[in-house]
Amino acid sequence: MKKVGIVMGSDSDLPILRKTMDTLASLDIPYECHIYSAHRTPEEARSFAAFAREKGFGVIIAAAGMAAHLAGAIAANTTLPVIGIPCKGPCLDGIDALLSTVMMPSGIPVATVAINGGVNAALLSAQILAVEDAGLAAKLDARRAADAAKVLEKDAALQAERNTNF
Ligand code: RP5
């Protein structure tokens, strides 16, 4: 199976990316995770993107906060699919990172998930890999079924408590 590459701009983004790594691990998807910044270590970020395909990666997840240029900078240097996670910083509630990540110019796409959307970034990367992997697709189906069952259990508990089922 192809690997998922995870890059974050700072170790202060790590709590969000731990959810990404946990979700990938729960689906038995191999990944590699690095701290490379578009601004502080631009050469390492560029090089990771440029050699990712030949190193066996199938998707790259890039997470950054504030003036979040990392996902765009990664996408500029590879034609692998790039998923951007805008991370909430100390000001502007993450809207700064959201707009910096999502508003890419035509020709260099970044598939942007929600602010702090570490789990969905992992799931979207899994869905991309599952296009060519029936076993992984089955695991994603099972996860959705389990999530649905949890919601219905909570609904049943609510009905039992409040008897709102007229
Ligand atoms: C961004 O700046 C990082 O992705 C992080 O979200 C933000 C702040 O970085 P630190 O100052 O906490 O290292 O590049």
Side-chain angles (χ1 to χ4, degrees):
M1 188 190 301
K2 297 277 187 196
K3 294 181 287 184
V4 174
I6 303 172
V7 187
M8 70 195 91
S10 165
D11 64 341
S12 62
D13 303 319
L14 195 47
I16 296 156
L17 279 307
R18 285 196 194 286
K19 294 180 187 170
T20 307
M21 290 188 271
D22 288 348
T23 304
L24 291 173
S26 76
L27 293 163
D28 303 312
I29 295 174
Y31 63 86
E32 222 177 86
C33 188
H34 296 278
I35 302 167
Y36 296 142
S37 162
H39 306 122
R40 292 166 176 157
T41 61
E43 181 47 35
E44 285 76 6
R46 187 207 66 78
S47 170
F48 180 81
F51 294 105
R53 186 183 293 275
E54 68 185 62
K55 286 186 173 169
F57 293 96
V59 192
I60 300 177
I61 296 171
M66 303 180 72
H69 298 132
L70 183 60
I74 294 280
N77 287 289
T78 182
T79 53
L80 289 175
V82 175
I83 300 169
I85 308 176
C87 299
K88 185 172 168 176
C91 3
L92 302 178
D93 279 337
I95 297 295
D96 45 355
L98 173 63
L99 297 180
S100 303
T101 304
V102 78
M103 289 302 292
M104 288 298 294
S106 182
I108 311 291
V110 168
T112 305
V113 296
I115 296 168
N116 291 357
V119 172
N120 269 0
L123 291 175
L124 184 53
S125 70
Q127 289 177 204
I128 291 168
L129 296 179
V131 168
E132 297 282 350
D133 185 329
L136 180 54
K139 285 181 190 170
L140 287 166
D141 285 340
R143 183 188 165 106
R144 288 225 179 160
D147 285 349
K150 282 182 212 156
V151 172
L152 296 179
E153 255 174 52
K154 288 173 187 168
D155 178 64
L158 176 65
Q159 300 316 313
E161 177 199 316
R162 304 300 301 189
N163 193 22
T164 58
N165 196 4
F166 299 112

